[in-house]
Amino acid sequence: MNVTVETLALIVVFAPVIGAIIAGLFGRVLPAKVSMTVTTGLLMVAAASAITIFIGYWDKSLVLPDEPIRIFKWIDVAGFTSTWSIRLDAISVVMMAVVTSVSSMVHLYSWGYMSDDPFKPRFFAYLSLFTFAMLSLVTAADFMQLFFGWEGVGLASYLLIGFYFLKRSANDAQIKAFVVNRVGDFGFVLGIMSVYFVFGTIEFKDVFHAIPHHIHDTMGWGKLQLPAMEVIALLLFIGAMGKSAQFLLHTWLPDAMEGPTPVSALIHAATMVTAGVVLVTLCSPIFQVAPFASGVVTLIGAITAIFAATIGIAQNDIKRVIAYSTCSQLGYMFFAAGIGVYQAAMFHLFTHAFFKAMLFLGAGSVIHGLHHEQDMRKMGGVWKPMKITYAIMLIGTLAITGVGIPGTNFGFAGFFSKDAIIESAFAASSEGLPFATFAFWMGILAAFLTSFYSWRLAFMTFTGTFRGDAHGGHHDDDAHAHAVHAAHVEGHHDAHQEDGVAPAHESPLVMLVPLFILAFGAIFAGFIFNDAFVGEGAHDFWGHAIYVSPENHILHARHNVPEWVKFMPLTVTLLGLLGAMIVYLWNKGLGEKIAKATGPIHAFLYNKWYFDELYDAVFVKGARALGDFFWKVGDQKLIDGIINGIASDTNIISKKSVKVQSGYVYHYAFIMLIALVAFGALVLLKKG
Amino acid sequence: MNLASVTHDLAFMTPELVIAVGAMLLVLMGAFVSKSAYRAITYLSVVVLLVAGFLGVQHAPDNAQVLFNGSYVVDAFGGFAKLIIALTAACAILLSADYLAERNLEKPEYPVLALLAVLGMYVMVSAHDLLAVYMGVELQSLALYVLAAYARDDRKSSEAGLKYFVLGALSSGILLYGVSLIYGFTGTINFGKLMTIAKDTSNVGLIFGMVFVLSGIAFKMSVAPFHMWTPDVYEGAPTPSTAFFATAPKMAAAILLGRFLFEAFGEVVSQWRDVVSIMAVLSMFVGAIFALQQTNMKRLLAYSSILNMGYAMVAIAAGPVYGPSALLLFTAIYAITSVGMFGVLLSMRDAKGKEITKISGYSGLSKQRPLLSLALTIMFFSITGIPPLLGFFGKFQIFIAAVDGGVMPLALILVIASVISAFYYLRVLKVVWFDEPSVEIVGGLATTKVTVTGVTLMIALLTPFIGLIYTASMAAGHFFK
C-alpha cells in the first residue's frame, strides 16, 4: 500500500509543475486550448490523487510513511544539508487536498472567466506554477524547502497580481505585495538561521526531537541573551504575518485584488495566505515551548480579526470586502494557533478554503456577468438574471457567518470551525492564557461584523434595483486592461432588460460547476470532518503532526464551556444579519445616511485605518528620503566627488610631472646619477 | 681549458653560434651582392632567428649547464626567454622590411645589426658572470644605438641615436664600475661564487657594487628613474627600430636582472628588495601618470613599456622563489603583445604613405579598417590585462607572486597603476571606435600585415592554450628553487 501512497504523492506534487512547464515554455507555440487542457487536466489528476490520499488517511484505510519521501539532495555543503522531499503527515495531507482541489476548480473556472484574455497560456502556467510551489511548501521536510515553496508562491502571487500588466495599479499592487512580503520573509529567514544556529539542522524531525534539550538555550549578543525558542518562534511568526497578511503587514492583501478574480480565490483566499497558519501549526513543538511568542500570535491574530472586519463593513468594492474578510478569518486561525488549538486553526483553514474560494468565484461570476463591474454601489438586483450565482453566494454567506444549531451536528462548514475556535478561546481564557480573553471577545465581535458585512455584500449586490450604468461596466477602472476585452463587451450587449434590472448574464457552465463542487464543501466539510479535526478523533487524526504540550487540554475543555458561550456566536451572527437587513434590505439609503452621520469614523474605516497613508509617510517617503540622501550626498557628492577628484588630481599631477621630461641629455644624466647616489645611500643607511 | 671542453661547451651554444655565423655570412652577402639583396638578407635573418629559436628549444638540456668555467649558463629559464626573444626579434625585422624600403633605407646592415643585437641578448640571458653580462649588454647596446640613428638624414633619428648612445655609455660606465667594485671587494665575478660570499652582509663594497650593476641594467630595461631616454628615443628612432627596442631587449634585460639578483644575491633578498621596489613603484608611477599627457602613439607606447617594466620589477621584488616564473611569463606576453602593437602602429599610413603617429590620427579607424581596429583592440585589451586575453594571465601571475612573495604593497600599487593605465589604453580605443574619421588611412604593407595578423591571432588564439605557456614558464622558473 505504501508504494501507492508514495506514487500518488509524487503525482500530486509534480503533475502541476509539468503543466506549468508545458504551458509556460510552449504556450506561445501551442494553441491556447492545449495549454489550458494540459494544465487543468494535470491538476485534476493531482487533485484526484491528493483526495485519494486524504480520504484514505481519514478513514484509516491508508498508512502514511513515517519517513519523508526523499527525492534528491538539494544542498549539501559543510554540515548543512537539505534534501528535496515529500513529507506525508496529517498537515501535508490536508493541505495537499485543499490546495489541489481548490486549484483544480480554479483552473476549470478560469476557462470561463478568462475566455477573452489573449494571454491564457501564461495565466494557466502561472496558476500551475503556483500550485507546485504551494505543494512543495506544504510537503517540505525541512525549512529550506519550505522557504523555497514560500518564495515560490510569493513569486507566483507577484506574477498573477500583475497579470494585467498594462494596468498601472496592478503593477503597483504586485510590487507592494512583493515588498511587504520581503519584510516578513526577512524575519522568516532570520528564523531559519536561528533554527540552524541553535539546532545545527533544519530538518523538521530532527529539530522537533531536539527541542527538549534546547528549551533553556539562549541566544543574543554579549549581555543581551534572549530565550532561543521565543526568538525563533517570533521570527518565524513575523514570516507568517507577512504571508498571511496579519495586522501591520496586511496592507498588500486588499491591493492584491488587482489580479484576476480566480487568482484571488486560489492564492489570496484559499491557499497561499494560509501558509502562515500552516507554518505556525507545523512548528507547534516550538510554539508550545514559547509562551510569550504564542501570546503575541494570539494578540496579533485577535487584532487582525477585529481590525479587518471593521474595515470590511465600509468597503464598496466587492472583492475588497471579501479580501478583508479573508484577512479577518486568518486572524481567527492565528489566535486559535496562539492559544494552542492548532487543530481548530487547521480546521478553520480547511473549511474557509472552500467557502472563501466559493465566495470569490461567486463574486467573480457577478463581476463577469456585469462586464467587470466591481463596485457594489453600482450593482443591485443581480439575483434575477443570475439566480444560480445568487444561491451560491447565499450558501457561501451562510457558511462564512457560521450558521448552525449549537449542540447539534447541523450547520454549515464555518459553523463548526469558527465555533470551535471561539469556544477554545473561552476555555483558554479560563485557563489564563495570555490574551485569550481578549481574543474571545474580539472573536465574538468579529463574528458579528462578519455577519454584517457578508450580508451587506449579499444584499447590496443581489437585491433591490440595479443602480449601475445600464451600458455595462466601467472598463477603465477595474476592468481587464487587455484591450481585447472591449470587443467582447460590445458583442454581448444583446439583452438590455427593463429599467432596474441588471444587464447581467448568468455565467457559463464551466464557471458554475466549480461553484457547485465548492458549495458542497462549504456545506458539508464541517459536518463530515468535525470529529476528525477537532472532535474525539483529533488525537488519532493529527498524530505526530501537531504537538501539544501535556498541560494543554483546551481542545477538550471547550466542550465544557457554559451554554451561553456556545450560543454566543450564533446570536451575534443573527444580530449581524438583522442589522444588515435593517440597513440594506428594508431601509433604502440608510447605509449612506449612517456613513454621513458618522463622518470621521466612516472615513477612518473606509480608508482602512489610514495604514496605507501611514506607511507611505513613514516607510515609502522615508526610504525615498534616505535613498535621495545616499544618492545625492553619498553617491554624487561623496563617492563621485572622491573619484572625480582623484581623476582630476591625477591629471594635474600628470601635467606637472611631465615637465621633468625636458629633452636635455644632461637633465637625464643628472637624474640618473642622483638616483644612483640615492640608492647607494639607501643600502648604506640600511646597513647602519 | 682544453680544446675538448671548449667543443663540449660550444655544443650547448648552437643557437648562439647559428646567430653569430648567420650574421657574419649575411654581412658578407650584403657586401658582395648588390643592394637588391636587402630583402633576401632580411628574410634570411628571420630564418636564422627562427632556426636559432627552434634549436634552442630542441637542444635544451634537461639540467642547467654551466659552461666556460662558470661564465655562461644554458638552462630552461634562459631557453624560454631566448625563444621569445628570437620570435619577437624576427617579427620586428619583418616589420622593418617594407618600411625601410619605402624610405630608401633598405641597407643590409639593418637586419645584420638586429641579429647581432639578438646575439647580445642571448649572451645577456645566459650570462653567469659579470664580464659575460657586460659583453652581452654592450653587444646589444652598440647595435641598438645604430638602429636608433638608422635614418641618419632624419634629424630626430640622429638625435635619438645620440641621446641613446650618450646615456647608454653613462649607464655602461655605471655597470662596469659596479663590476669592478664587486671584483675589488670579493675577488670574483662569478654568480655562483658571489652567492656564497654575499651571505656575509657586512661587505659594504659588494652591496654598493650590486646597486651599481643593478642601476646599469635598469637603464637597459628603461626602469625609472633610469628611463628618461626612453620616450625621446622611441619617438625619434625609425618605428621598426622602436618596435625592436620595446620588445626583445626589454625581455633580455629583465631576465638578466632577474638572474643577477636571484642567483648571485638570491640568499640576501632584503639587501636589494628596497631598491627594486622603489624602482618598481617609480616605474609604475611614471608609466601610468606621464602617459596620460601623450598625444603621440610612439611616446605613449614608450611609457607603456616603462609601466610594464615596472610590473616586471614587482616580479623581481617578489624574490627568487615566486618571482622567476612570473617574470618569464609576464615579459614573454609583454614582448609578444608589444611587437603586435607596433605592427598596428606601422600599419597606420595616410594616403601619401606617411606614417601616422598622432593619436588623433586614429580617429574613426574602425570605420576605415575594421580588422586593424579589431587587432589593436585585442592587443590593448590584452596589455591592459582584461581576461580572457593573454595579458591578463601575465599580470595575474605577477600579482600572485607579489602576494606570495610578501610584497603586498607593490601588488596594490600594481592594481592602481593598472587602473590609471587602463584610461589611456581605452582612450585610444575610444578614438578608434567612436570618433569620426579625420584622415584617410591606408593599410600596412605586406610584411606588416603578416606580422600584425600573426601576433593578433597568437594573442587571441593562444589564450585557450595559456595553460601550455603557463606550465612552460613555471617549469622554467622552478630552476631557482
Side-chain angles (χ1 to χ4, degrees), chain B residues 460-475:
Chain B
L461 297 183
L462 266 187
T463 301
F465 303 105
I466 178 69
L468 290 178
I469 307 176
Y470 178 77
T471 320
S473 71
M474 286 311 277

Side-chain angles (χ1 to χ4, degrees), chain A residues 77-117:
Chain A
V77 276
F80 180 91
T81 50
S82 173
T83 312
W84 197 278
S85 335
I86 298 179
R87 186 188 93 257
L88 287 173
D89 61 11
I91 297 174
S92 69
V93 165
V94 169
M95 287 310 294
M96 285 198 300
V98 168
V99 171
T100 52
S101 55
V102 175
S103 177
S104 58
M105 288 307 105
V106 166
H107 271 78
L108 188 61
Y109 179 90
S110 303
W111 279 64
Y113 191 85
M114 304 300 285
S115 55
D116 307 307
D117 199 281

